């Protein structure tokens, strides 16, 4: 939105200076900044949102010549509730991303076996891409599978990306790819936070950050584990600092001593990949000392549920394991139920088969001594962490956990987060201000792109992907609509048929619901879903099973595990479409290290997209705030917004099918692209945002209210299953109503109750229904009285709920608080995950030991792996634990930051952190060049000999850790080094397929004479 002169004067007084010096949450003295005022006096000023991590910092963009020229300044928005004008080093450099002479100025084409790029026109590129899509689709289209089941899919094309697109573009992109018949659809969320969704949805019912950034400041104790907020999410750390100023201790548990550690009251190390051992010990500590919040645990979690006799656990393995297929029979983990199918409960917690007692039995093995022997964390430091954090298990206290890929990227990634989710339920820290399980997501719209489901296993709104087992919409709804006869269970997913019907009508308004469902491609119901996910997808590319690949705003040549395999796999493709701001290691893979262009058949189309400040649309931050950003400068000549690119491709493919016919054209030709366009026929984010919200397709009455055809749906409670409503994503229904664009709101007003905890309900919009803290009905007792009246999230005033939007508007005591769960309770015992209902310690698939003290089962018995690929287990060739991480100055694979002079000057090349002890053993001096190698590849790096990494004592033996940032690649800078993911293995979590890139085995050697 435009910024007034009055607002700009406030900006110039301090925020501009903060932007110049990098922000980092520092409070700077007000400055007159006359030069800045003169420079920007006649500029157009618009608001935007930072394009880097998912903190979602607000920006002010100044554009020359009343918006007709280029950006002349980008700085923090002082009015924004999250960042208050502050920016990190990356956010402060956004101007240099936009005004960068290394940006692409038009499409490039690489012909088969060519050694050079050729400049081509947009019209030629779009037409040729469309031809290849149609040919690949027609040649491979499968109407029915080998069992005669209707599937309407193609397995010859795959799509990757993008978490940096706007919400509207993400929704459009998934619709386009599914209209083509693709079932191999993945993006960055798979390899960064897919385990977050799998864990939090199983525990609480939804897969997102439970609270929001500002709420961290309400905490009585902040635990950061599996993350490094001070460096990777710097502006979020201002809210950690806010809590600390009020007396909250900061605990940091991490393999390395980082800038987060330097700010912590308590820091302790642990070996990468041993988090469940540490957290399992914490659960034992809570249960042994009865530190859990009993009223909360009994009434709001499934602690009192009785587990049926089929469940057992022995020597590291749960009942129901089939070692041949590497799967569990989850029916063995069922609850005992009454004649109505309602789980039986023992509120006294005396039954030996109740969940809490099964947990006591399970974690009794996790003594602090065994934890220490596994993690390498000294016993006194373990106990200090346990004592400090577990003190929050009281009604008037709240503790929060912040984590990132240090937890997610493991073969037990889901169970890492499940373990902490269970701890937070035991302590009563879910639904309350200052509590929660809060994922530090790392891309500006990775939350939104996940919500819109650019993923193989779900469609928008977290609806299960259609499968060959459900050929009809009736079969789908029957299989995916849970039932509950407990009158106190809201069982909200019973509304799933309404959400599916409205999604189908958003994509195919002219088709019946039955036909629209047939148009959706269906995965093979007899195949593990992980085979469609990142690692399975790349294995199939490597085997030559795909013709074409879209890499849209993603750089898998550097960003995925076993990156060398990915690069080799690209040579097997017939064609690839790469959409990006800059040339990169993926688009130019054919001229990378070890490649021989004359032998590589792959055609490559490199399409230049515009940058975030050049387009309009919304992004959703990690706290679920959907924020609207506006056009500053117009797209750089030769570039186009991503939405426009996908619209032109889709329209051209439609044109070809209408002219030539082909395999089952209806999903393509009937796709509702007209409602994506403005009056000029161009892609319009506002039009798509309205479609995502949903509107009525005919005059109708819903919930006792009359609506006219074309009227916006007020929210998802008005969606229907009869085809009279459309909504591209039910979660976002309520975001663009007849009252306008809710995501564009910039009103910081609050009621006194809301201001007390910083809800900011009128700034932007938050899913679902603008609710800022999820599960907030668990923050009150059965009478609606807050556990902590001084930090009330909601409370019942005798007539209605006040404060935040309640998680269900029923009167107190009438519904269980976890409304997305079938039975209404938070799940300590989670029978829905494929690797067990309780977290259990397993070593990473590559590890330095042959056994651990908790059981005889070394690794996760159902982990995703490619058995033909060797793993290093206690292998003397690769004796050191390797791990990867991010830096403040670079983002993801570095494509947007390695082209920025300010940032590459700060962090110019790949380095490897090693301890002084290991350096001494290997004769390596600080600054020398070393080779780091694994079973998969090697990289050259500068040795950073440091006290930040210390050796571990594991089962009486010394184990060394080395660490590398993964944000480099061969393309630029010339001497910057290559991707650390050349070292990481193709193994993953069995629930979500996320690769294990945080723990693997390497060797380190000094390069003599380098």
């Amino acid at each position: 939105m435009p910024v007034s002169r009055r607002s700009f004067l406030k900006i110039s007084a301090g925020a501009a200076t903060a932007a110049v010096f990098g922000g980092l949450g520092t409070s700077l003295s007000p400055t007159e900044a006359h030069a800045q005022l003169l420079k920007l006096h006649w500029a157009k000023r618009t608001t935007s949102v930072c394009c880097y991590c998912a903190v979602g910092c607000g920006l002010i963009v100044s554009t020359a010549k009343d918006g007709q020229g280029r950006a002349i300044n980008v700085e923090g928005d002082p009015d924004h509730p999250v960042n208050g004008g502050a920016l990190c080093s990356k956010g402060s450099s956004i101007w240099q991303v936009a005004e960068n002479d290394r940006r692409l100025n038009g499409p490039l084409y690489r012909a088969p076996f060519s050694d050079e790029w050729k400049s081509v026109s947009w019209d030629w590129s779009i037409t040729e891409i469309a031809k290849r899509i149609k040919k690949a689709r027609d040649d491979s289209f499968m109407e029915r599978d080998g069992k005669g089941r209707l599937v309407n899919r193609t397995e010859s094309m795959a799509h990757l990306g993008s978490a940096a697109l706007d919400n509207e573009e993400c929704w459009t992109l998934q619709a386009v790819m599914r209209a083509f018949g693709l079932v191999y659809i993945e993006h960055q969320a798979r390899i960064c936070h897919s385990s977050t969704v799998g864990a939090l949805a199983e525990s609480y019912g939804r897969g997102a950050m439970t609270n929001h950034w500002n709420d961290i400041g309400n905490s009585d104790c902040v635990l950061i584990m599996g993350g490094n907020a001070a460096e990777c999410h710097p502006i979020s750390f201002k809210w950690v600092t806010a809590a600390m100023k009020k007396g909250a201790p900061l605990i940091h548990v991490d393999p390395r001593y980082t800038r987060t550690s330097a700010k912590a009251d308590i820091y302790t190390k642990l070996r990468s990949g041993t988090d469940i051992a540490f957290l399992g010990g914490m659960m034992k500590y809570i249960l042994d000392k009865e530190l859990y919040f009993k009223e909360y645990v009994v009434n709001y979690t499934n602690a009192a549920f009785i587990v049926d006799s089929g469940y057992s656990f022995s020597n590291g393995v749960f009942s129901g394991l089939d070692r041949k297929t590497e799967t569990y029979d989850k029916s063995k983990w069922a609850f005992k139920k009454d004649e109505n199918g309602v789980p039986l409960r023992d509120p006294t917690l005396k039954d030996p088969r109740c969940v809490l007692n099964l947990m006591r039995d399970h974690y009794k093995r996790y003594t602090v001594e065994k934890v220490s022997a596994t993690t390498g964390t000294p016993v006194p430091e373990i106990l200090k962490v346990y004592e400090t954090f577990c003190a929050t298990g009281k009604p008037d206290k709240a503790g929060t956990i912040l984590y990132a890929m240090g937890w997610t990227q493991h073969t037990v990634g889901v169970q890492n987060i499940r373990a902490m989710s269970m701890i937070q339920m035991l302590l009563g820290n879910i639904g309350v201000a200052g509590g929660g399980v809060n994922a530090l997501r790392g891309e500006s719209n990775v939350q939104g792109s996940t919500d819109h489901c650019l993923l193989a296993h779900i469609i928008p709104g977290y609806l299960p992907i259609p499968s060959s087992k459900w050929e009809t919409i009736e079969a789908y709804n029957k299989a995916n609509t849970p039932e509950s006869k407990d009158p106190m269970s809201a069982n909200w997913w019973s509304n799933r048929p309404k959400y599916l019907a409205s999604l189908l009508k958003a994509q195919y308004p002219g088709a019946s619901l039955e036909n629209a469902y047939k148009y959706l491609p269906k995965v093979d119901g007899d195949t593990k879903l992980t085979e469609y996910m990142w690692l399975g997808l790349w294995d199939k590319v490597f085997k030559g099973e795909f013709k074409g690949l879209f890499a849209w705003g993603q750089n898998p040549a550097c960003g995925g595990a076993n990156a060398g395999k990915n690069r080799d796999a690209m040579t097997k493709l017939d064609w690839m479409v790469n959409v990006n701001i800059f040339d990169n290691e993926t688009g130019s893979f054919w001229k990378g290290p070890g490649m021989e262009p004359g032998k590589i058949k792959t055609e490559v189309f490199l399409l230049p997209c515009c940058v975030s400040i050049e387009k309009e649309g919304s992004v959703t931050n990690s706290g679920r705030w959907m924020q609207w950003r506006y056009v500053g400068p117009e797209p750089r000549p030769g570039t186009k917004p991503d939405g426009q690119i996908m619209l032109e491709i889709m329209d051209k493919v439609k044109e070809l099918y209408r002219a030539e016919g082909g395999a089952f054209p209806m999903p393509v030709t009937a796709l509702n692209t007209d409602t994506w366009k403005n009056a000029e026929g161009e892609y319009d984010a506002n039009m798509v945002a309205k479609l995502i919200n949903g509107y009525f397709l005919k005059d109708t009455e819903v919930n006792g209210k009359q609506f006219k055809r074309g009227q916006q749906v007020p929210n998802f409670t008005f969606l229907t299953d009869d085809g009279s409503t459309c909504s591209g994503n039910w979660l976002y229904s309520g975001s663009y109503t007849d009252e306008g664009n809710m995501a564009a709101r910039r009103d910081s007003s609050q009621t006194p109750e809301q201001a007390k905890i910083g809800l900011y309900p009128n700034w932007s919009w938050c899913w679902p229904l603008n609710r800022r803290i999820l599960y907030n009905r668990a923050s009150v007792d059965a009478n609606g009285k807050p556990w902590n009246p001084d930090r009330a999230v909601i409370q019942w005033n005798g007539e209605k709920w006040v404060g935040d939007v309640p998680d269900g508007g029923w009167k107190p005591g009438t519904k269980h608080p976890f409304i997305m769960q079938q039975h209404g309770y938070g799940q300590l015992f989670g029978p829905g995950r494929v690797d067990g209902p309780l977290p259990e310690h397993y070593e990473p698939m590559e590890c330095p030991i042959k056994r651990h003290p908790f059981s005889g089962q070394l690794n996760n018995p159902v982990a995703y792996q490619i058995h033909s690929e060797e793993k290093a287990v206690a292998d003397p060739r690769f004796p050191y634990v390797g791990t990867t991480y991010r830096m403040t100055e670079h983002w993801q694979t570095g494509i947007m930051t390695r082209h920025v002079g300010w940032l590459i000057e700060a962090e110019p090349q790949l380095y490897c952190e090693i301890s002084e002890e290991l350096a001494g053993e290997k004769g390596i001096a600080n600054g020398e060049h070393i080779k780091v190698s694994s079973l998969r590849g090697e990289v050259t790096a500068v040795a950073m000999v440091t006290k930040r990494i210390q050796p571990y004592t594991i089962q009486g033996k010394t184990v060394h850790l080395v660490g590398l940032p993964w944000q480099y690649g061969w393309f630029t800078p010339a001497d910057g080094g290559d991707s650390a993911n050349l070292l990481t293995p193709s193994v993953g979590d069995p629930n979500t397929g996320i690769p294990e890139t945080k723990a693997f085995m390497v060797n380190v050697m000094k390069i003599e004479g380098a």
Side-chain angles (χ1 to χ4, degrees):
M1 66 178 293
V3 180
S4 69
R5 178 71 176 169
R6 181 180 179 184
S7 297
F8 178 65
L9 289 173
K10 182 163 60 172
I11 295 168
S12 67
T17 307
V20 170
F21 289 99
L24 294 174
T26 306
S27 176
L28 301 179
S29 304
T31 304
E32 190 63 24
H34 291 292
Q36 191 79 347
L37 275 172
L38 289 172
K39 179 181 178 183
L40 303 179
H41 185 74
W42 299 109
K44 179 185 80 167
R45 292 176 293 278
T46 53
T47 57
S48 190
V49 178
C50 181
C51 58
Y52 288 112
C53 81
V55 173
C57 296
L59 303 176
I60 302 292
V61 180
S62 298
T63 307
K65 300 178 183 177
D66 295 325
Q68 301 307 305
R70 301 304 306 158
I72 56 176
N73 192 56
V74 180
E75 56 197 284
D77 180 352
D79 293 328
H80 198 281
V82 174
N83 64 308
L87 294 173
C88 74
S89 54
K90 292 189 293 294
S92 299
S93 72
I94 290 174
W95 173 82
Q96 203 174 75
V97 176
E99 306 309 320
N100 193 310
D101 60 8
R102 301 183 73 180
R103 286 181 63 182
L104 297 166
N105 296 311
L108 298 176
Y109 172 70
R110 186 262 176 183
F113 311 110
S114 174
D115 62 357
E116 63 181 5
W117 284 115
K118 176 183 176 183
S119 293
V120 292
S121 71
W122 273 104
D123 285 346
W124 184 88
S125 299
I126 296 295
T127 299
E128 293 302 311
I129 291 168
K131 288 178 182 177
R132 283 151 184 77
I133 292 169
K134 184 177 186 297
K135 182 176 183 348
R137 184 179 185 274
D138 286 350
D139 289 349
S140 65
F141 194 81
M142 183 188 303
E143 181 181 358
R144 295 187 178 273
D145 65 12
K147 295 183 178 180
R149 299 176 298 190
L150 187 71
V151 294
N152 286 331
R153 68 173 184 250
T154 175
E155 296 184 353
S156 67
M157 294 181 284
H159 173 271
L160 303 171
S162 170
L165 300 184
D166 294 343
N167 280 309
E168 296 71 31
E169 293 170 330
C170 289
W171 187 88
T172 300
L173 188 53
Q174 68 80 32
V176 166
M177 294 300 161
R178 291 187 166 113
F180 292 155
L182 272 67
V183 287
Y184 289 93
I185 300 174
E186 290 283 86
H187 81 293
Q188 287 92 332
R190 176 67 62 205
I191 58 177
C192 64
H193 271 282
S194 61
S195 40
T196 287
V197 178
L200 298 184
E202 179 70 7
S203 300
Y204 310 135
R206 304 181 182 95
M209 184 175 181
T210 58
N211 295 46
H212 59 94
W213 296 113
N214 300 59
D215 184 67
I216 297 167
N218 294 316
S219 185
D220 294 301
C221 183
V222 180
L223 171 61
I224 301 178
M225 187 173 175
N228 177 14
E231 295 183 69
C232 301
H233 299 79
I235 304 305
S236 76
F237 203 77
K238 69 180 287 185
W239 296 105
V240 176
T241 303
M244 295 175 71
K245 288 179 178 178
K246 299 174 187 176
L250 170 62
I251 305 168
H252 190 218
V253 182
D254 198 83
R256 296 185 305 137
Y257 187 91
T258 68
R259 288 177 174 84
T260 298
S261 314
K263 293 292 185 181
D265 298 285
I266 302 170
Y267 165 76
T268 192
K269 64 183 181 181
L270 91 167
R271 177 168 59 95
S272 185
T274 62
D275 302 85
I276 289 175
F278 191 96
L279 298 175
M282 187 182 291
M283 282 191 267
K284 173 178 167 56
Y285 184 89
I286 293 169
L287 294 170
D288 286 352
K289 295 182 178 294
E290 298 197 352
L291 297 174
Y292 54 90
F293 184 176
K294 186 171 183 179
E295 187 176 354
Y296 185 106
V297 168
V298 171
N299 294 317
Y300 294 165
T301 80
N302 67 4
F305 283 28
I306 310 300
V307 179
D308 215 339
S309 59
Y311 169 78
S312 63
F313 176 84
S314 177
N315 197 25
V317 174
F318 298 94
S319 53
L321 177 64
D322 183 332
R323 288 195 179 272
K324 184 176 180 180
T325 62
E326 297 180 337
T327 59
Y328 278 109
D329 176 1
K330 294 187 291 184
S331 68
K332 300 291 186 183
W333 312 333
F335 299 116
K336 275 191 174 182
K337 298 175 181 177
D338 66 17
E339 63 278 8
N340 292 316
V342 177
L344 297 174
R345 300 176 66 247
D346 173 21
T348 70
L349 304 179
K350 293 180 179 179
D351 191 302
R353 296 289 295 181
C354 81
V355 165
L356 198 74
N357 288 328
L358 291 178
M359 287 176 60
R360 289 184 194 275
D361 186 63
H362 190 85
Y363 293 108
K364 69 184 180 183
R365 296 166 294 132
Y366 286 66
T367 64
V368 69
E369 293 78 16
K370 288 182 179 180
V371 171
S372 178
T374 303
T375 63
T377 313
V379 168
E381 296 178 17
I382 294 172
L383 291 173
K384 183 64 174 176
V385 172
Y386 290 177
E387 177 187 8
T388 304
F389 192 77
C390 296
T392 64
K394 301 174 182 177
D396 62 341
K397 298 292 182 182
T400 190
I401 170 66
L402 311 181
Y403 73 94
M405 290 186 290
W407 270 2
T408 64
Q409 290 179 335
H410 291 278
T411 45
V412 290
V414 166
Q415 299 291 1
N416 280 338
I417 303 157
R418 275 275 297 140
M420 195 67 215
S421 301
M422 293 161 66
I423 288 169
Q424 289 295 68
M425 282 188 279
L426 289 172
L427 297 175
N429 281 332
I430 298 300
V432 302
V437 178
N438 294 307
L440 305 175
R441 284 182 172 260
E443 302 212 29
S444 60
N445 197 36
V446 72
Q447 181 61 60
S449 58
T450 305
D451 299 335
H452 296 301
C453 300
L454 282 161
L455 293 160
H457 69 296
I458 43 178
I459 54 178
Y462 300 93
L463 306 180
I465 191 75
S467 159
S468 59
K469 291 185 176 180
W470 314 316
E471 295 182 65
T472 66
I473 190 171
E474 293 81 8
Y476 179 98
N477 286 334
K478 183 178 181 181
N480 294 291
T481 307
E483 296 181 356
S484 176
K485 294 185 179 180
D486 182 349
M488 290 186 65
S489 175
N491 187 27
W492 199 265
W493 277 122
S494 63
N495 293 295
R496 189 170 273 146
K498 300 175 184 178
Y499 307 150
L500 175 64
S502 297
L503 168 62
L504 293 173
K505 281 296 183 178
Q507 295 187 183
Y508 299 106
S512 66
L513 290 175
E514 291 75 14
N515 283 337
Y517 179 77
K518 289 178 183 177
Y519 296 166
L520 294 182
K522 295 160 185 66
V523 298
D524 184 350
D526 301 319
T527 299
K528 290 181 182 179
L529 279 172
T530 46
E531 292 299 328
Y532 290 94
M533 297 174 184
W534 183 274
L535 294 173
L537 183 156
W538 275 108
D539 196 49
K540 290 173 178 61
V541 179
F542 184 75
K543 293 174 180 176
E545 296 180 17
F546 289 107
K547 297 294 184 183
L549 174 71
F550 296 88
W552 206 302
Q554 189 162 11
N555 186 19
C558 292
N562 203 351
K565 177 181 178 179
N566 297 352
R567 296 175 185 182
D568 288 342
M570 293 177 197
T571 68
K572 314 289 181 63
L573 294 165
D574 286 357
W575 54 266
M576 177 168 66
V577 177
N578 184 213
V579 184
N580 219 305
I581 299 167
F582 300 100
D583 196 356
N584 58 86
E585 289 82 5
T586 295
S588 285
F589 81 92
W590 44 273
K591 59 180 177 179
M595 294 292 176
E596 298 182 61
K599 296 181 180 180
I600 297 173
K601 66 175 181 175
T602 313
E603 286 183 286
V604 185
F605 300 85
L606 182 54
L607 305 182
C609 56
C610 62
V611 300
S612 60
I613 63 173
E614 296 171 342
K615 62 182 180 179
E616 184 173 8
S618 69
V619 290
T620 303
N621 74 4
S622 200
R624 298 169 286 104
W625 289 19
M626 179 190 181
Q627 303 183 91
W628 199 262
R629 48 191 186 188
Y630 294 86
V631 175
E634 294 297 320
R636 186 185 182 101
T639 72
K640 295 188 178 190
D642 296 89
Q644 183 65 28
I645 297 170
M646 58 189 76
L647 176 61
E648 291 183 18
I649 290 174
M650 187 70 219
D651 279 351
K652 182 59 69 172
V653 175
K654 279 188 173 187
E655 180 184 310
L656 291 175
Y657 270 101
R658 286 170 178 154
E660 303 171 3
F664 194 44
M666 286 303 293
V668 175
T669 58
L671 187 65
N672 182 28
T673 56
D674 289 343
T675 56
W676 307 352
K677 303 174 184 178
N678 59 21
E680 289 73 40
E682 296 180 337
Y683 185 85
D684 188 324
N686 280 275
M687 295 293 288
V688 178
K690 290 179 179 180
L691 179 63
I692 291 171
N693 176 89
Y695 42 82
F696 292 93
L697 298 174
K698 62 181 180 182
D699 296 352
T700 189
E701 178 180 315
V702 183
N703 298 340
K705 296 183 178 181
Q706 297 290 330
F707 296 95
K708 294 291 186 181
R709 182 178 183 272
Q711 192 172 347
Q712 291 294 110
V713 173
N715 58 60
F716 57 69
T717 66
F718 291 88
L719 297 178
T720 67
D721 61 4
D722 63 0
S724 61
T725 58
C726 73
S727 171
N729 189 326
W730 72 275
L731 273 178
Y732 283 74
S733 189
S735 64
Y736 210 127
T737 67
D738 286 339
E739 297 178 9
N741 186 347
M742 299 292 104
R745 297 182 304 166
R746 291 177 53 84
D747 180 357
S748 58
S749 64
Q750 306 179 76
T751 66
E753 297 93 341
Q754 294 165 343
K756 204 168 186 179
I757 58 172
L759 284 178
Y760 294 98
N762 299 304
W763 188 281
S764 70
W765 184 86
C766 180
W767 72 256
L769 296 177
N770 204 35
R771 185 175 300 123
R772 302 295 162 130
I773 296 180
L774 296 176
Y775 320 111
N776 54 35
R777 286 173 65 93
S779 71
V780 298
D781 65 17
N783 298 311
K785 180 181 177 181
W787 301 119
N788 184 355
D790 291 336
R791 286 194 298 247
V793 181
I794 60 171
Q795 55 186 322
W796 183 256
N797 67 5
E799 297 180 355
K800 63 178 183 178
W801 294 102
V802 295
D804 195 8
V805 177
D807 212 345
W810 307 279
K811 292 181 179 181
T814 59
K815 294 290 181 184
H816 303 309
F818 290 89
I819 66 172
M820 303 305 294
Q821 298 286 28
Q822 179 181 5
H823 303 299
Y825 294 85
Q827 295 204 138
L828 293 167
F829 189 92
R833 299 307 85 184
V834 303
D835 51 351
L838 297 172
E840 171 69 6
H841 171 73
Y842 300 115
E843 287 290 315
M845 297 302 283
E846 291 199 336
C847 58
I849 58 177
K850 293 182 178 180
R851 61 186 61 86
H852 62 78
F854 299 107
S855 76
Q857 181 66 42
L858 182 64
N859 310 116
N860 188 336
V862 297
Y864 180 87
Q865 59 179 310
I866 298 166
H867 286 280
S868 61
E869 296 183 7
E870 186 183 1
K871 288 89 179 172
V873 176
D875 188 334
R877 297 173 299 168
F878 303 101
Y880 312 125
V881 177
T883 194
T884 62
Y885 44 82
R886 305 187 195 204
M887 299 174 287
T888 303
E889 294 80 8
H890 287 300
W891 181 71
Q892 301 302 84
T893 65
I895 283 303
M896 287 172 60
T897 52
R898 286 187 276 126
H899 288 278
V900 172
W902 297 345
L903 298 175
I904 199 65
E905 181 179 1
E907 291 289 358
Q909 61 192 137
L910 178 67
Y911 59 84
C912 175
E913 289 190 84
I914 64 174
S915 68
E916 293 175 341
E917 291 82 356
L918 179 58
E921 289 180 20
K922 306 289 288 189
I924 297 169
N926 189 53
E928 290 186 323
H929 283 80
I930 59 175
K931 180 177 74 174
V932 186
S933 59
S934 75
L935 279 168
R936 291 152 294 279
E938 62 183 48
V939 295
T940 299
V942 175
M944 183 180 289
V945 180
T946 176
K947 296 181 185 295
R948 289 190 295 268
I949 288 182
Q950 296 286 326
Y952 297 86
T953 300
I954 307 299
Q955 299 176 23
K957 295 182 179 181
T958 298
V959 173
H960 291 287
L961 172 85
V962 303
L964 305 93
W966 60 278
Q967 297 171 304
Y968 292 93
W970 62 264
F971 186 86
T972 189
D975 59 350
D978 212 336
S979 173
N981 275 317
L982 292 169
L983 307 172
T984 55
S986 298
V987 295
D989 184 287
N991 296 281
T992 70
I994 192 169
E996 186 162 60
T997 52
K998 287 294 176 278
F1000 50 94
M1001 300 307 294
V1002 300
N1003 195 12
V1004 176
M1005 297 293 291
K1006 179 178 178 178
I1007 301 177
E1008 300 293 343

